[in-house]
């Protein structure tokens, strides 16, 4: 546990951290401003994906809005729900009400790197409601020059029927979607992960930090509520 002190001494040290937080916020604003000034690269708007109505296009996934944020969810082919990506499960569980994004003319969608049928079944098992597509057959185009099989977050903008990629990130860059990790970072024990710089003796999780008893953590609430995790219950539209 941290040392105990009086209110004045606590506030004095907190004020030092607060000054660094404010500087961090201002630097984040400056980085966001730099993102808005990046060049962009054109992408074929007819790039095919698979959605709830079968074959569709990248342009269609905008749903008529000006911008698109696509989360490229990892997929472990042929594996049951319990063995699917713990990080992508965590991230997508954090995505709830999309109305605020929609108010800024932004669509958020998952482009799964696996087949539509079983991955959509997984989305339904998890109770997620964001638009869901399979990008499996177009990953070489959509992830050109990047490692297929990793989680990616990619931003697009359209001008009429033309589509442009404006930003992308991967690995810890996708943490911007996750409020749980940001809240954990405010607590005295942090995320309790092995790599964190915490005082000696603070709690540390052993092994996988996003799994519990053999499953990604958010799955347990769905299993206990009686939802089926059978991924074979929905036929693949793409075979």
């Amino acid at each position: 546990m941290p040392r105990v002190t009086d209110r004045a001494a606590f506030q004095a040290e907190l004020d030092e951290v607060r000054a660094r937080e404010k500087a961090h916020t201002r630097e984040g604003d400056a980085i966001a401003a730099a993102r808005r000034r990046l060049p962009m690269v054109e992408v074929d708007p007819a790039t095919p994906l698979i959605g709830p109505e079968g074959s569709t296009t990248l342009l269609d996934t905008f749903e008529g809005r000006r911008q698109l944020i696509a989360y490229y969810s990892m997929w472990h082919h042929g594996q049951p729900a319990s063995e699917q990506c713990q990080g992508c499960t965590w991230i997508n569980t954090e995505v709830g009400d999309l109305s605020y994004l929609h108010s800024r003319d932004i669509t958020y969608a998952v482009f799964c790197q696996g087949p539509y049928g079983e991955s959509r079944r997984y989305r339904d098992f998890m109770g997620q409601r964001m638009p869901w597509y399979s990008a499996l057959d177009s990953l070489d185009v959509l992830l050109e020059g990047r490692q297929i099989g990793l989680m990616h977050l990619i931003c697009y903008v359209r001008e009429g029927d033309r589509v442009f990629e404006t930003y992308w990130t991967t690995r810890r860059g996708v943490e911007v979607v996750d409020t749980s990790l940001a809240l954990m970072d405010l607590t005295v024990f942090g995320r309790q992960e092995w790599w964190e710089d915490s005082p000696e003796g603070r709690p540390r999780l052993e092994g996988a930090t996003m799994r519990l008893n053999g499953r990604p953590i958010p799955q347990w609430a769905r299993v206990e509520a009686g939802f089926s995790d059978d991924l074979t219950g929905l036929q693949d539209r793409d075979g």
Side-chain angles (χ1 to χ4, degrees):
M1 298 290 286
R3 68 185 187 282
V4 178
T5 188
D6 60 36
R7 172 63 63 176
F10 165 72
Q11 191 62 47
E13 293 198 35
L14 177 58
D15 287 345
E16 293 181 6
V17 173
R18 184 82 74 230
R20 296 176 64 186
E21 288 179 340
K22 294 298 185 183
H24 179 73
T25 297
R26 289 191 291 272
E27 178 62 14
D29 291 341
I31 292 171
R35 287 192 198 103
R36 293 192 291 272
R37 288 164 173 79
L38 287 170
M40 60 187 184
V41 60
E42 190 159 10
V43 183
D44 183 0
T47 301
L49 297 97
I50 303 295
E53 304 302 323
S55 182
T56 189
T57 67
L58 177 61
L59 181 63
D60 290 335
T61 67
F62 279 72
E63 298 183 340
R65 299 185 180 91
R66 186 76 184 275
Q67 298 184 83
L68 168 69
I69 299 173
Y71 179 79
Y72 284 74
S73 186
M74 296 167 60
W75 189 256
H76 299 317
H77 294 271
Q79 297 299 309
S82 60
E83 298 303 317
Q84 291 305 322
C85 177
Q86 58 191 17
C88 294
T89 300
W90 185 309
I91 290 292
N92 286 325
T93 301
E94 296 289 302
V95 179
D97 187 353
L98 298 173
S99 60
Y100 200 66
L101 286 174
H102 293 172
S103 77
R104 297 297 193 271
D105 213 14
I106 301 168
T107 291
Y108 180 95
V110 169
F111 287 6
C112 188
Q113 299 182 55
Y116 181 79
E118 62 185 43
S119 69
R120 168 60 188 268
R121 179 69 175 174
Y122 186 71
R123 188 206 78 154
D124 293 346
F125 160 57
M126 292 306 304
Q128 297 159 358
R129 291 294 178 262
M130 74 285 283
W132 191 281
Y133 303 92
S134 170
L136 180 60
D137 294 336
S138 298
L139 291 174
D140 288 342
V141 174
L142 294 169
L143 296 181
E144 180 182 2
R146 288 158 287 197
Q147 184 176 346
I148 295 172
L150 290 181
M151 59 184 75
H152 296 274
L153 195 67
I154 301 182
C155 297
Y156 302 92
V157 67
R158 70 179 181 89
E159 185 68 23
D161 291 339
R162 299 176 70 189
V163 174
F164 303 87
E165 182 180 326
T166 62
Y167 176 76
W168 73 276
T169 188
T170 189
R171 298 184 184 274
R172 289 194 62 192
V174 306
E175 287 182 5
V176 296
V177 182
D178 195 316
T179 56
S180 292
L181 294 179
L183 290 172
M184 290 177 193
D185 286 340
L186 301 179
T187 69
V188 70
F189 296 150
R191 303 182 188 188
Q192 304 175 44
E193 297 184 4
W194 64 269
W195 55 268
E196 287 182 288
D197 181 4
S198 293
E200 190 69 28
R202 295 287 168 88
R204 301 276 188 179
L205 294 176
E206 298 291 336
T209 58
M210 296 183 180
R211 299 183 75 86
L212 181 67
N213 298 330
R215 284 183 178 272
I217 292 169
Q219 289 188 8
W220 283 112
R222 305 297 294 177
V223 171
E224 291 165 1
F227 292 95
S228 172
D229 66 350
D230 180 7
L231 304 185
T232 65
L234 184 66
Q235 294 298 315
D236 288 350
R237 293 180 184 271
D238 55 354

